[in-house]
Amino acid sequence: MRRKNAWYSLLLLCGLLLAWGVPAQARETAKAQLDTLVVEALERNPDLLAAKARWRMAEHRIVPAGSLDDPRLGFALSNYPIDSFAGDDTPMTGKELQLSQTLPFPGKLGTRKEMAGEQAFWYRGLYEDARLQLVQEVKDAWYRICFQQQAIGITRKNIGILEDFIRLTETRYEVGTGLQQDVLKAQVERSKLLDRLFNLQQQLTSSAANFNRLLNRPAATPLETPQELEATEVEGDLQWFMQQARTKRPVFSAHQAMIDRYQAQRKLAKLDYYPDFNFWAGYRQREEVMGDPAEGTDFVSAGVSINLPLWQGKRRETVAEADSGLRMVQQQLADLGNRIDFTIADQYAQMEKNRDLVELYKTGIIPQAEQSFEASLAAYQVGDVDFLNLLDSLMTLYRYQIDYQRALSDHERSVAGLEAAVGQELGDRKQEP
């Protein structure tokens, strides 16, 4: 009776192990959950919010950069005699109000505003690109957790099967139809799987803490278990992805804005060779003094002054600085294009490899390994196969199922990396039976 119950439990666990498919509705629920978490990260991630604040801060500099300096209002007591400080001793004495306004040479204000606008556009591009990178980080962490949780589930099921194997081999050993080495071998394999389980649980804890960090949650916040992954079908060749990145990635337009900014800086440096103007007007209130031919009449005055741009050396260096900055950003843009092209090529190659592996495991390797395990189990029941062969077929199936989950997770992580590199979502979700 004990042996019969062990066989029954073993067959039940084997059935659970082989039934690894998940309905499409569960996969859609997992995708909706991931989309919700991405939105939460975009709304709460501190680094992204700081990047947005930096962009807004730069935008607030545009209007001041294109505005005139404040006018200056002055008050003076003019020509008071030091012996009496009286206002009616001489006709030169008076109280004077003066108003002045500096006007930059035509074109300077507009160029300064243009520079500030391009600087703000640079920070906006960095913010929008940071959004893409955050989405990629969230998806990467999510798919990593999906693999770890699936691997934990598969490992636990296999540990359950091995425990039934141990009970079965112990029973057969007790009645003289089995070998002690079968019992010991099953126990060793169970210990190995326990070691793997502990490692996977530790990795899951770390991954969950990192995921909560991205969403600005406490590190120990519970995370709902994701469902089985579904492969993302991506259309487009490598060259198309590289071309799309040039128009979709905000970082490219941000670098172009910085080029325009240094061009405006060069223009402003050239305009600095020309003087600025200072217009002023004054009103002098006077006391009536004996012998004053104007009989105490108040005076008004007006004038204009300019600065003299004599020191050409510093202006030449300012132009040279702008030229150097322009060359710097142009080279940075070229390097950026090369690095993004490499990232796209690398992620595309990994995606293609993992897609092929997923298909191979799903349609070829795993079904064959399942059949091999089922055949070994049936043969072991009637004594045609020894226990070591049965155990080897079980461990082989376990490794293939783990490898399948890893390939599926890596495929989705590659798609997420490719989306971040290109700057847009790619493909539609494939509905699998």
Side-chain angles (χ1 to χ4, degrees):
M1 183 67 178
R2 178 181 175 185
R3 183 176 177 183
K4 182 178 179 181
N5 290 337
W7 276 114
Y8 177 77
S9 300
L10 179 60
L11 290 173
L12 179 61
L13 279 172
C14 290
L16 292 174
L17 178 65
L18 300 178
W20 50 278
V22 175
Q25 183 178 3
R27 298 190 185 107
E28 282 301 310
T29 302
K31 178 184 180 300
Q33 182 184 2
L34 175 57
D35 292 340
T36 300
L37 292 170
V38 167
V39 171
E40 182 180 350
L42 293 176
E43 291 176 349
R44 301 184 56 182
N45 183 267
D47 288 341
L48 187 64
L49 294 178
K52 185 176 183 179
R54 183 174 58 183
W55 161 36
R56 295 300 187 188
M57 181 175 64
E59 279 191 325
H60 293 311
R61 294 175 182 155
I62 298 176
V63 172
S67 301
L68 292 171
D69 291 338
D70 292 333
R72 300 181 68 86
L73 179 65
F75 175 75
L77 299 174
S78 301
N79 300 320
Y80 276 74
I82 62 173
D83 56 350
S84 64
F85 291 102
D88 55 358
D89 281 357
T90 71
M92 296 183 297
T93 302
K95 304 178 184 68
E96 186 170 356
L97 285 175
Q98 190 176 79
L99 181 66
S100 64
Q101 175 67 62
T102 299
L103 297 179
F105 192 85
K108 287 186 177 181
L109 277 183
T111 305
R112 289 171 185 162
K113 185 175 182 180
E114 181 183 355
M115 287 177 58
E118 298 297 348
Q119 187 77 27
F121 198 87
W122 157 262
Y123 285 121
R124 176 183 176 181
L126 294 185
Y127 163 71
E128 292 177 346
D129 208 72
R131 285 174 59 91
L132 294 174
Q133 302 310 311
L134 177 60
V135 171
Q136 188 267 333
E137 287 187 71
V138 171
K139 290 183 176 180
D140 187 86
W142 173 263
Y143 294 133
R144 190 187 300 272
I145 289 172
C146 283
F147 162 71
Q148 291 164 349
Q149 291 182 328
Q150 289 295 321
I152 287 173
I154 293 172
T155 303
R156 283 174 173 165
K157 289 178 182 178
N158 276 269
I159 290 174
I161 292 176
L162 284 174
E163 287 174 349
D164 269 353
F165 273 169
I166 292 171
R167 287 192 292 269
L168 180 61
T169 53
E170 287 175 345
T171 301
R172 297 188 65 166
Y173 176 67
E174 289 172 0
V175 299
T177 59
L179 301 175
Q180 186 180 21
Q181 69 180 31
D182 294 344
V183 179
L184 297 177
K185 182 63 176 177
Q187 291 174 342
V188 169
E189 291 298 333
R190 181 186 61 178
S191 298
K192 289 181 180 179
L193 288 189
L194 284 172
D195 178 63
R196 293 178 187 175
L197 179 62
F198 298 152
N199 286 328
L200 286 169
Q201 289 173 333
Q202 177 271 317
Q203 293 170 11
L204 179 59
T205 300
S206 299
S207 297
N210 179 59
F211 190 86
N212 287 325
R213 176 189 65 83
L214 294 174
L215 273 64
N216 197 26
R217 294 173 169 181
T221 300
L223 181 63
E224 183 179 348
T225 304
Q227 301 297 321
E228 171 78 12
L229 294 180
E230 53 179 322
T232 303
E233 186 174 351
V234 177
E235 297 182 358
D237 57 24
L238 181 58
Q239 191 62 35
W240 183 82
F241 289 133
M242 291 180 179
Q243 292 173 352
Q244 286 294 104
R246 295 301 189 276
T247 58
K248 299 296 184 180
R249 279 292 295 271
V251 71
F252 280 106
S253 57
H255 276 75
Q256 185 58 52
M258 189 56 64
I259 288 175
D260 295 339
R261 188 255 183 212
Y262 276 107
Q263 289 175 338
Q265 181 177 336
R266 188 180 192 280
K267 178 182 176 182
L268 182 62
K270 286 287 189 179
L271 287 172
D272 199 40
Y273 281 94
Y274 301 95
D276 298 328
F277 303 91
N278 183 58
F279 295 90
W280 60 273
Y283 179 86
R284 176 175 293 192
Q285 185 269 327
R286 302 171 62 248
E287 302 286 346
E288 185 174 352
V289 180
M290 184 179 298
D292 180 8
E295 298 180 348
T297 302
D298 295 342
F299 293 159
V300 295
S301 56
V304 60
S305 63
I306 62 172
N307 63 304
L308 300 177
L310 296 178
W311 317 121
Q312 301 295 300
K314 70 175 184 178
R315 289 170 171 81
R316 285 193 296 269
E317 290 301 314
T318 304
V319 174
E321 176 191 352
D323 288 337
S324 297
L326 184 60
R327 289 191 294 270
M328 175 190 69
V329 178
Q330 288 172 338
Q331 293 303 316
Q332 288 177 340
L333 180 58
D335 179 65
L336 173 70
N338 292 333
R339 287 189 287 110
I340 289 179
D341 285 347
F342 165 75
T343 300
I344 291 174
D346 181 57
Q347 295 294 338
Y348 182 83
Q350 293 188 43
M351 180 188 68
E352 292 281 284
K353 178 203 71 173
N354 290 312
R355 182 196 62 192
D356 294 340
L357 283 176
V358 167
E359 191 66 19
L360 178 62
Y361 280 118
K362 186 172 184 179
T363 61
I365 294 178
I366 290 181
Q368 293 166 5
E370 289 174 347
Q371 293 173 5
S372 176
F373 174 66
E374 291 172 346
S376 297
L377 182 60
Y380 179 71
Q381 288 177 311
V382 297
D384 291 341
V385 171
D386 62 26
F387 179 75
L388 294 182
N389 286 330
L390 175 61
L391 192 59
D392 180 68
S393 65
L394 174 64
M395 292 297 98
T396 299
L397 176 58
Y398 166 76
R399 287 192 296 270
Y400 287 151
Q401 289 184 330
I402 292 293
D403 289 342
Y404 166 77
Q405 294 295 336
R406 180 181 289 107
L408 187 55
S409 173
D410 288 346
H411 176 270
E412 294 306 295
R413 292 171 62 194
S414 298
V415 172
L418 188 59
E419 288 177 341
V422 173
Q424 68 178 58
E425 287 197 29
L426 304 172
D428 296 322
R429 295 287 177 175
K430 227 177 16 177
Q431 297 299 320
E432 300 176 351

